[in-house]
């Protein structure tokens, strides 16, 4: 096999592993608790460690299909039909779009629950508006409850849902809550029902890691975890000293794997460049990464080149690098 093609395929595989590891890192309950503390009113001002027990079971990571008719699955337990999230082996669900992370949270009253979905995006997609996708996801989280969380026309049993989107490589740090609002056009009747069922939270992470401040504390934590440039020990230092998060073996292993994947992606692309000769090596490496699906922002962060330089290389114009 042509060496450059081989390295491109390997880089693409590593990118898939990197994306999967990003979900695994975010899916640690203590990290989800930090997200809850900044996005769900009932948990604001709470210590994230005190929120962890409210997260029920193990978050389902990358295995629940989004597609209508695929989100739920029926099983038989003790002679009774039970409907739950479809968490069959992801290979069985090959080809279906899946939620990144889905989990239930028990409210402080000990009775009610909400459903949360967390999605991680390397940057804003260019083929569609991300808010439209978020609306679809939150709608699926509501509609898929029929037969699982409520029966027949018992619509008052619908659980509140949150779809939380982490979008990296933004120009600034952003936190926005998008939800239903009532506008009285004629009269002022108080229609019964829960306007809080539908919630979208957009979290934009800037390219630069912000200093620790209360309003950007969540952005600094997530930015450090998902950084492609910070070394393992620096990430762990931020997590431990600034957020008092215990560094358990699994978290350390996941952080280390994430950093190794970042380095491996660069080395694989570099090998593709060397195969093409030293003079055009870096340009070939950039092209290999673009073929593997990397965004300009990701390549810029890894290579140190400006977006304009990368675009010129892609267009076939050699520039001084």
């Amino acid at each position: 096999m042509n060496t450059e093609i081989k390295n491109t395929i390997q880089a693409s595989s590593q990118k898939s592993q990197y994306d999967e590891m990003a979900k695994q890192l975010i899916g640690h309950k203590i990290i989800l608790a930090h997200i809850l503390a900044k996005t769900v009113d009932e948990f604001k001002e709470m210590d994230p460690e005190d929120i962890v027990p409210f997260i029920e079971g193990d978050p389902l990571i990358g295995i629940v299909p989004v597609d209508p008719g695929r989100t739920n699955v029926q099983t038989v337990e003790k002679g009774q039909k039970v409907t739950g999230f479809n968490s069959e082996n992801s290979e069985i669900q090959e080809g279906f779009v899946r939620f990144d992370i889905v989990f239930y949270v028990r409210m402080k009253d000990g009775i009610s629950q909400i459903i949360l979905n967390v999605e991680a995006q390397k940057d804003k997609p260019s083929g569609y508006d991300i808010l439209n996708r978020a609306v679809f996801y939150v709608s699926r989280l509501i509609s898929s409850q029929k037969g699982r969380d409520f029966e027949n026309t018992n619509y008052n049993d619908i659980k509140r849902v949150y779809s939380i989107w982490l979008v990296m490589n933004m120009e600034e740090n952003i936190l926005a809550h998008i939800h239903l609002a009532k506008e009285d056009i004629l009269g002022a009747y108080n229609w019964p029902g829960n306007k809080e069922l539908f919630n979208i939270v957009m979290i934009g992470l800037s390219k630069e890691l912000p200093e620790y401040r209360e309003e950007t504390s969540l952005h600094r934590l997530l930015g450090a975890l998902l950084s492609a440039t910070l070394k393992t020990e620096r990430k762990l230092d931020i997590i431990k000293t600034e957020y008092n998060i215990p560094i358990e073996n699994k978290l350390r292993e996941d952080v280390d794997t994430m950093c190794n994947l970042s380095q491996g992606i660069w080395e694989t692309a570099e090998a593709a460049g060397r195969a093409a000769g030293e003079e055009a090596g870096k340009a070939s490496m950039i092209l290999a990464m673009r073929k593997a699906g990397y965004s300009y922002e990701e390549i810029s962060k890894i290579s140190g080149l400006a977006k304009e330089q990368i675009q010129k290389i892609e267009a076939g114009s050699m520039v001084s690098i």
Side-chain angles (χ1 to χ4, degrees), residues 42-113:
E42 286 87 342
F43 296 109
K44 287 180 179 177
E45 309 305 325
M46 279 185 67
D47 187 318
E49 285 190 21
D50 295 332
I51 297 173
V52 169
F54 292 95
I55 298 174
E56 299 195 326
D58 293 322
L60 301 173
I61 302 175
I63 55 177
V64 177
V66 177
D67 305 69
R70 301 281 179 179
T71 304
N72 296 335
V73 65
Q74 270 197 355
T75 57
V76 177
E77 295 180 12
K78 297 179 181 179
Q80 299 287 323
K81 284 187 178 179
V82 178
T83 302
F85 276 125
N86 187 353
S87 57
E88 293 179 17
N89 189 303
S90 60
E91 292 179 2
I92 297 174
Q93 302 295 339
E94 190 66 38
F96 295 117
V97 176
R98 293 184 283 271
F99 292 107
D100 280 0
I101 303 170
V102 180
F103 58 103
Y104 283 88
V105 178
R106 181 71 60 179
M107 292 289 92
K108 288 187 286 185
D109 62 11
I111 300 171
S112 56
Q113 294 172 306

Side-chain angles (χ1 to χ4, degrees), residues 111-125:
I111 300 171
S112 56
Q113 294 172 306
I114 60 174
I115 301 172
L116 268 85
N117 156 233
V118 180
E119 298 289 323
Q121 300 285 300
K122 287 292 180 62
D123 43 34
K124 290 186 298 183

Side-chain angles (χ1 to χ4, degrees), residues 25 31 220-227 235 239 251 255 258:
L25 266 177
I31 304 302
R220 181 170 172 81
L221 173 60
L222 295 174
L225 271 178
L226 301 172
S227 172
K235 289 188 178 189
I239 292 168
L251 181 58
V255 169
M258 188 81 156

Side-chain angles (χ1 to χ4, degrees), residues 4 8 282-292 313-315:
E4 187 173 348
T8 301
K282 202 162 189 177
S284 183
M285 172 191 63
I286 297 301
L287 293 174
M289 294 182 78
R290 284 296 290 158
K291 287 178 185 176
I313 291 171
E314 192 176 22

Side-chain angles (χ1 to χ4, degrees), residues 23-39:
K23 298 175 196 174
Q24 296 293 333
L25 266 177
I26 297 166
H28 281 268
K29 284 189 175 183
I30 186 61
I31 304 302
L32 294 173
H34 273 269
I35 294 174
L36 282 165
K38 292 293 185 181
T39 58

